[in-house]
Amino acid sequence: MPNDDPREVELLSRIREGVETALSVIGEIDAGLLDCSKRLRIDPSSETFAVLSAGIANLGDLLALVQEIRKGADFLPSRPVPADALSTLEKSIDLFREMQAAMERKDWISVADLIQYELSPVLSEGKKEFSAVRELLTSP
Amino acid sequence: MFLERNLDALADVDRRLSERIRNAGRGAVAVVPSKAGPPSIKADGAALHSVYDPVREARDWAEHHDDAVRNASAIAVLGFGLGYHVEELLHAARGEITVFEPGIDVLRAAMEARDLTRVLSSARIFTDPDDLPSPPPDGTLLVLRHLPSVRRDPAPHEEAASRLEVLKVVARGLRIAVVGPFYGGSLPVAGYCAEALRTLGHEVEFIDNSSFGETFLSIDRITKSAPHREILRMKYGEFASEAAMARIVPFRPDIVLVLAQAPILASALSILREQGIATVFWFVEDHRHMKYWRDVASSYDHFFAIQEGGFLEMLREAGAKNIAFLPMAASPAVHRRMALTRQEILEYGSDVSFVGAGYYNRRRLFEGLVDLDFRIWGNEWGGCPVFEGILQRKGARVGTEDIVKIFNASRINVNLHSSSYHEGVNPDGDFVNPRTFEIAACGAFQLVDPREGLARFFRIGEELACFDGLDDLRGKIAWYLAHPEEREAVAERGRLRVLREHTYERRMEAMLGCMVRSGFRPPWKAMREREDPGRLVAQAGPDTDLGRYLARFAGSRRLRLEDVLREIRSGNGAVDRVERIFLALNEIGRREAAG
């Protein structure tokens, strides 16, 4: 049911923008980190580590955005977003910690493994969840 | 489950490493199951292979290097882990694969964790950078790093990489002058060294001084005055040294290898050293018999000796630098199995034979063999009536080709190392003579007196047989004459061992390897690279007119302007644009030189 409350309209618009941003960057983050994972196994350069750092920073921003979207969605009674709608991405916080621990001990193969076999599937699943949320927020 | 099978496979190619791994522990290395099933490995807490899918990871790694691997004639992999990546390389590699892995704990874990028999039969593993072998002479050695292994222990891996780089340079071809003596046992050895170095792909100038030998020996006939003889020998030595330098200097060698007794003076050596040329001496003599080594020890950059132990220390005290043990060898092109005619078998054959000079110990021992079908070949046996009818050709010197026929025709070749004071076998003999390797290289059977270190070169009783005195020698002669099949089997195993490990090619490789480890770097390398036709074609661009023109010189060792001019002058038809440019360059250079 549409709501004419200007604050809710504004909020909905902001959340939609956030979801669109997330959808556009999540693929890039995934592709960049996957490329890093490959390079970490074969032939890393200083650029590889720069891309890895940027990818992880972007991932941090994405997780912050997920939390903001979740919080905002709680104030949209007219378009209720299920509580577990973006839960997969939130799981990546633990992965994030594991990756940081592996990076600290310079265990680059484990970092590559975590990216390729854990994080990338999570990001793919997260993308689907964002698409579902967008569907929910844009449907008449 | 896999350990014994792997260690057995490894022992076939490297028994010592197999034993080291058998006795090693795993240390801080843990084998862990991967999510896909095959085992993975963690060392000091960090994964060396994917703990999710190590096989896929290795496949991706090999695929990434695929083009380079297919173009390489040899591959060196730094880091073994559990060997997944090496296994993948076997599919595409066309050349030899060498693996460097300094972690015995990692190797132990690998041998326990996986069936590596295929890898171990196709790739050699080295744990010490100094043991890494020279790549093939064409220089297309590809060095691949297994990064997690390298990161675990970077220093030895980087040392290995740096050694491989130098070996690559050396393998690509050095310019080496080999200087021989006037005469004597080291004269043929000088020739064998020169030939072996050529076979290894180096450019060699053999300074053969044998033509001066006759004149040098004639000095004894010129005067009976000892001081005059000494002066004449010294002056003649100076002349021969200068004559050698006249050939060495324009050749611009990277190395001058001087064999024992070669006429090169210390002053000449210092001139060579000033030019950055490495001077190397191979003292293929018994230091107790020939003592001039003290006078020359400090004049060379590298000193190689056929005796170890105390002698190396004595050399050090005498001022020698970069000293190493380098044993004698055989030259398979010369010391070879021969099909002899019936006439040759009659001429050279016997049940038992000996070739060599009549030293005191030989005379004493061989008196006990005169009742056998025994022939002695060689000189310095005069005044021994007991050898009447046994000494061949009245004690004349025997040439190398004849010696090889004697080795081939004799059922048993006795090899007794010389001594001027022992009654028979010298119980403390500490070097192995060239004859030991030469007889074996011919596929001939020998009975040799035991020498310190002999077991390092041959398996006694399996690849040759030893005797420790007359009774033992007679007993073994009788036994081996009665067992020809056993005799032939021993001789064949000995032959194969020499071909594998004791040729002059292997010795020259070892010599260059020692030099590289001591810091030798080719002085003319940069200049040589500027003259490398392949490099010049690449610089010009293979698809340019100039590149296409220069490509005709691709097979040459070097390419200079004079080579191009010679090519232009020898050609028919009109001179093309590229040739006109070269002619113009030459003209400019000529005018500038004329002032």
Side-chain angles (χ1 to χ4, degrees):
Chain A
M1 165 104 37
N3 192 319
D4 295 334
D5 180 348
R7 283 181 306 172
E8 197 173 330
V9 170
E10 174 66 17
L11 180 60
L12 179 61
S13 158
R14 290 291 166 89
I15 290 174
R16 277 179 183 154
E17 266 176 41
V19 170
E20 288 303 328
T21 305
L23 274 168
S24 69
V25 298
I26 197 165
E28 281 171 31
I29 294 172
D30 189 19
L33 286 173
L34 270 177
D35 187 49
C36 272
S37 124
K38 197 175 164 188
R39 284 169 189 270
L40 284 174
R41 295 185 197 282
I42 295 169
D43 188 18
S45 59
S46 52
E47 192 198 345
T48 309
F49 293 102
V51 173
L52 178 65
S53 298
I56 285 173
N58 289 340
L59 193 61
D61 292 345
L62 181 69
L63 290 176
L65 182 61
V66 168
Q67 281 170 347
E68 289 303 312
I69 290 170
R70 279 244 30 91
K71 272 190 223 162
D74 289 345
F75 295 97
L76 287 178
S78 58
R79 289 178 184 269
V81 174
D84 61 352
L86 294 169
S87 59
T88 306
L89 272 172
E90 280 170 333
K91 277 185 214 158
S92 66
I93 291 169
D94 289 339
L95 267 177
F96 204 69
R97 289 197 191 104
E98 259 188 86
M99 280 170 62
Q100 274 179 327
M103 283 163 76
E104 273 165 25
R105 57 175 195 273
K106 296 190 167 36
D107 181 358
W108 303 111
I109 293 295
S110 292
V111 174
D113 270 349
L114 288 168
I115 292 171
Q116 184 177 353
Y117 294 104
E118 300 286 354
L119 183 63
S120 184
V122 163
L123 291 177
S124 297
E125 191 55 34
K127 194 171 180 182
K128 283 184 201 155
E129 287 177 344
F130 270 118
S131 296
V133 170
R134 178 172 66 180
E135 191 74 16
L136 211 62
L137 298 178
T138 53
S139 59
Chain B
M1 169 179 162
F2 299 114
L3 182 67
E4 286 307 318
R5 205 186 318 164
N6 286 330
L7 289 179
D8 285 348
L10 180 59
D12 286 343
V13 288
D14 191 340
R15 185 170 294 278
R16 206 164 59 92
L17 180 58
S18 174
E19 282 308 308
R20 275 185 70 204
I21 295 172
R22 187 187 298 282
N23 297 326
R26 273 221 227 137
V29 172
V31 173
V32 293
S34 73
K35 299 241 162 130
S40 185
I41 180 172
K42 286 190 171 189
D44 307 315
L48 299 186
H49 293 297
S50 169
V51 291
Y52 284 73
D53 193 342
V55 176
R56 179 178 167 186
E57 179 187 60
R59 203 167 293 146
D60 291 346
W61 183 88
E63 206 176 288
H64 176 79
H65 297 294
D66 193 55
D67 285 346
V69 166
R70 285 180 194 283
N71 289 323
S73 56
I75 298 166
V77 184
L78 306 182
F80 188 69
L82 295 186
Y84 289 108
H85 53 300
V86 180
E87 205 163 27
E88 286 299 325
L89 283 182
L90 296 179
H91 300 306
R94 61 184 173 90
E96 217 166 80
I97 298 181
T98 299
V99 179
F100 174 72
E101 174 53 68
I104 288 289
D105 49 359
V106 170
L107 291 174
R108 167 80 192 199
M111 300 289 156
E112 285 178 14
R114 304 186 58 222
D115 178 1
L116 293 167
T117 48
R118 187 166 157 261
V119 175
L120 295 170
S121 65
S122 309
R124 281 293 304 270
I125 300 175
F126 296 88
T127 57
D128 185 336
D130 287 351
D131 294 336
L132 286 164
S134 285
D138 67 4
T140 53
L141 170 74
L142 175 67
V143 180
L144 297 175
R145 288 171 168 80
H146 180 243
L147 287 170
S149 301
V150 174
R151 282 189 208 111
R152 185 197 179 207
D153 197 1
H157 285 100
E158 288 319 315
E159 195 186 333
S162 135
R163 178 168 154 70
L164 285 166
E165 272 310 304
V166 177
L167 286 173
K168 216 153 75 169
V169 170
V170 169
R172 202 172 292 153
L174 296 168
R175 203 169 285 172
I176 304 173
V178 178
V179 189
F182 293 139
Y183 56 82
S186 54
L187 176 60
V189 175
Y192 302 147
C193 291
E195 206 42 52
L197 288 164
R198 278 192 197 105
T199 306
L200 293 173
H202 304 291
E203 195 177 346
V204 177
E205 179 79 7
F206 179 31
I207 315 293
D208 180 1
N209 288 302
S210 60
S211 59
F212 299 134
E214 203 48 48
T215 315
F216 186 79
L217 288 169
S218 75
I219 290 173
D220 287 345
R221 296 194 298 271
I222 294 171
T223 173
K224 287 192 165 55
S225 156
H228 271 117
R229 280 184 185 177
E230 207 43 53
I231 290 168
L232 286 171
R233 284 197 193 107
M234 194 184 76
K235 296 277 184 196
Y236 196 67
E238 282 173 12
F239 166 77
S241 177
E242 204 50 50
M245 287 294 278
R247 290 177 64 185
I248 293 169
V249 172
F251 179 56
R252 292 203 280 194
D254 301 302
I255 296 169
V256 174
L257 168 60
V258 180
L259 269 292
Q261 300 201 40
I264 287 278
L265 299 181
S267 53
L269 292 169
S270 74
I271 291 169
L272 295 173
R273 264 205 309 279
E274 276 167 22
Q275 296 184 22
I277 298 167
T279 55
V280 183
F281 192 59
W282 192 11
F283 184 65
V284 288
E285 313 259 25
D286 180 352
H287 74 89
R288 294 183 190 89
H289 188 61
M290 292 291 210
K291 299 189 190 274
Y292 69 91
W293 55 268
R294 275 187 203 283
D295 305 326
V296 301
S298 62
S299 302
Y300 289 90
D301 299 314
H302 303 265
F303 199 109
F304 293 92
I306 59 171
Q307 282 153 303
E308 283 188 287
F311 182 46
L312 301 185
E313 191 46 45
M314 287 153 73
L315 279 169
R316 201 163 287 118
E317 283 165 11
K321 301 172 283 289
N322 303 315
I323 306 155
F325 170 60
L326 189 68
M328 299 304 304
S331 174
V334 176
H335 309 110
R336 65 201 186 281
R337 181 176 275 160
M338 291 175 90
L340 300 176
T341 63
R342 185 186 296 269
Q343 183 56 38
E344 283 173 325
I345 290 168
L346 281 173
E347 187 179 347
Y348 298 102
S350 61
D351 280 349
V352 186
S353 74
F354 176 81
V355 184
Y359 280 83
Y360 175 76
N361 66 324
R362 291 172 176 165
R363 291 173 183 231
R364 298 291 293 156
L365 190 90
F366 294 164
E367 281 173 9
L369 301 180
V370 294
D371 58 317
L372 305 176
D373 174 21
F374 179 40
R375 290 188 182 190
I376 293 176
W377 305 79
N379 55 346
E380 296 175 32
W381 292 90
C384 298
V386 71
F387 297 127
E388 187 79 44
I390 288 174
L391 183 63
Q392 306 297 302
R393 296 182 181 173
K394 298 179 183 167
R397 278 182 179 274
V398 188
T400 303
E401 190 68 8
D402 281 347
I403 291 174
V404 171
K405 286 179 183 168
I406 295 163
F407 291 160
N408 272 274
S410 304
R411 289 179 189 84
I412 293 174
N413 291 277
V414 175
N415 178 8
L416 176 62
H417 288 74
S418 62
S419 169
S420 302
Y421 50 94
H422 289 91
E423 290 298 311
V425 172
N426 172 0
D428 305 313
D430 63 354
F431 69 91
V432 176
N433 64 14
R435 192 177 295 112
T436 309
F437 301 103
E438 292 166 1
I439 295 172
C442 292
F445 179 79
Q446 68 180 302
L447 282 166
V448 56
D449 52 331
R451 308 287 288 181
E452 189 185 316
L454 181 61
R456 185 203 295 190
F457 305 122
F458 295 97
R459 284 177 291 157
I460 313 286
E462 289 180 48
E463 292 167 338
L464 50 67
C466 283
F467 66 93
D468 57 15
L470 181 60
D471 290 344
D472 190 29
L473 176 59
R474 288 187 64 93
K476 282 182 175 148
I477 287 173
W479 193 88
Y480 279 109
L481 284 176
H483 296 85
E485 285 175 7
E486 180 61 21
R487 203 173 65 219
E488 281 160 22
V490 168
E492 176 59 8
R493 285 193 290 266
R495 188 179 76 90
L496 296 175
R497 182 73 184 267
V498 171
L499 293 183
R500 209 166 52 238
E501 296 178 24
H502 305 312
T503 61
Y504 282 98
E505 281 81 2
R506 297 287 84 77
R507 297 294 185 258
M508 292 299 99
E509 277 178 349
M511 184 188 83
L512 294 173
C514 278
M515 292 175 64
V516 166
R517 288 195 289 283
S518 307
F520 163 74
R521 296 293 180 272
W524 308 108
K525 178 179 166 279
M527 185 197 73
R528 208 87 50 68
E529 282 181 352
R530 283 201 299 276
E531 295 175 352
D532 174 14
R535 190 186 170 102
L536 291 167
V537 171
Q539 276 177 346
D543 297 326
T544 61
D545 287 346
L546 179 58
R548 276 190 289 273
Y549 185 81
L550 295 178
R552 70 180 68 181
F553 300 95
S556 311
R557 187 178 282 271
R558 63 182 173 186
L559 175 56
R560 294 164 304 172
L561 182 58
E562 53 258 46
D563 300 315
V564 177
L565 296 172
R566 201 177 306 117
E567 171 75 10
I568 295 170
R569 286 176 192 132
S570 67
N572 297 319
V575 174
D576 69 16
R577 196 178 68 87
V578 173
E579 289 174 329
R580 280 199 301 276
I581 294 170
F582 277 118
L583 290 170
L585 277 174
N586 182 51
E587 190 56 25
I588 293 165
R590 208 174 57 79
R591 285 185 189 179
E592 276 187 1

